[in-house]
Amino acid sequence: MKINMDLNEEEFVEKYVKDDSLFYRFLRVILRFIARILYRPKFYGKENIPAEGGVLLAGNHRAMADPVFVCLGTKRTVHYISKKVVMESFIGRIIYWAGAIPTDPDSTNKNSYHAVQKTLSMGKAVGIFPEGTRNKTNEVLLPFRYGAVRLAQTTGAAIVPLAIVGGFKPFINPIKVYYGEPYTISLDSDTEEENQRLRQKIADLYLEHQ
């Protein structure tokens, strides 16, 4: 499907900010069945995810399937930010109907950011990987971008740090997802300090359970 990043802000938000859908729930049932066979996922700290209100689920990112496992740990619909090139691929329409919001690293407009702001302001859950891309290094985490912290500051949404642990080898290593305690960020907090704080929380979760 074709993604138009050049719509004005109002049109972009109207097109890509979607209500929770039956399709998402149906897709989650299918993915849960497949995941249980291949990866035997286990989830810890699910009670830390607020039952309502805007929330950012922020974690490490090493595999393409990471969003799936984050979503399987909660009954809430989790809206994700997905790169334009992915949403224009053969699975693009599925991702779109599941509630993904497109982004384009080469674009200078802030449509994606405003769309996520709107999603959080509507009291929905958003999944985000502050590293911005998959970590293919031996480092625990890549440097963090500031989107998660700034979104939490401007919307008042809670952040739930999380760590995905496992080797993603089917039938061998079970995937484990650990959800930390939620917290909020005040408008007058220092963005750099808060970004490092979030990074440390995720790193601590990962190192504790790897």
Side-chain angles (χ1 to χ4, degrees), residues 61-69 86 89 91 129 134 136 168:
H61 190 22
R62 287 185 174 273
M64 290 184 65
D66 286 338
V68 173
F69 292 102
V86 175
S89 68
I91 63 170
F129 298 115
R134 282 186 291 155
K136 300 178 182 179
F168 286 92

Side-chain angles (χ1 to χ4, degrees), residues 104-159:
D104 183 358
D106 297 324
S107 176
T108 58
N109 69 48
K110 296 184 177 181
N111 281 343
S112 299
Y113 183 84
H114 293 309
V116 178
Q117 275 188 317
K118 177 67 174 179
T119 302
L120 291 169
S121 298
M122 292 168 64
K124 299 182 182 299
V126 172
I128 190 168
F129 298 115
E131 293 169 284
T133 188
R134 282 186 291 155
N135 181 3
K136 300 178 182 179
T137 73
N138 292 323
E139 299 296 325
V140 174
L141 293 169
L142 299 174
F144 272 22
R145 300 181 183 181
Y146 293 87
V149 168
R150 287 172 177 161
L151 285 164
Q153 283 183 311
T154 57
T155 64
I159 295 182

Side-chain angles (χ1 to χ4, degrees), residues 159-205:
I159 295 182
V160 174
L162 65 92
I164 304 169
V165 180
F168 286 92
K169 295 179 180 179
F171 309 110
I172 300 176
N173 295 326
I175 297 297
K176 299 178 181 180
V177 184
Y178 296 86
Y179 300 93
E181 295 184 0
Y183 69 99
T184 56
I185 299 176
S186 62
L187 279 172
D188 59 355
S189 294
D190 181 82
T191 304
E192 178 65 35
E193 291 180 1
E194 290 294 347
N195 207 38
Q196 290 302 316
R197 177 188 178 193
L198 174 60
R199 190 173 188 273
Q200 190 62 53
K201 284 179 177 291
I202 295 173
D204 288 346
L205 274 174

Side-chain angles (χ1 to χ4, degrees), residues 28-126:
R28 184 169 55 195
V29 170
I30 295 175
L31 292 175
R32 180 180 291 116
F33 176 76
I34 296 173
R36 283 177 176 173
I37 294 174
L38 296 179
Y39 297 105
R40 296 169 289 139
K42 298 181 180 180
F43 306 94
Y44 303 89
K46 293 189 293 183
E47 67 279 2
N48 289 325
I49 302 174
E52 57 185 23
V55 60
L56 282 159
L57 304 176
N60 60 315
H61 190 22
R62 287 185 174 273
M64 290 184 65
D66 286 338
V68 173
F69 292 102
V70 175
C71 294
L72 294 182
T74 176
K75 294 181 180 179
R76 298 190 62 175
T77 297
V78 181
H79 299 264
Y80 264 97
I81 305 164
S82 180
K83 290 181 180 179
K84 175 177 179 284
V85 65
V86 175
M87 292 188 68
E88 289 183 336
S89 68
F90 70 99
I91 63 170
R93 194 163 295 278
I94 294 175
I95 297 173
Y96 170 77
W97 286 113
I101 298 168
T103 187
D104 183 358
D106 297 324
S107 176
T108 58
N109 69 48
K110 296 184 177 181
N111 281 343
S112 299
Y113 183 84
H114 293 309
V116 178
Q117 275 188 317
K118 177 67 174 179
T119 302
L120 291 169
S121 298
M122 292 168 64
K124 299 182 182 299
V126 172

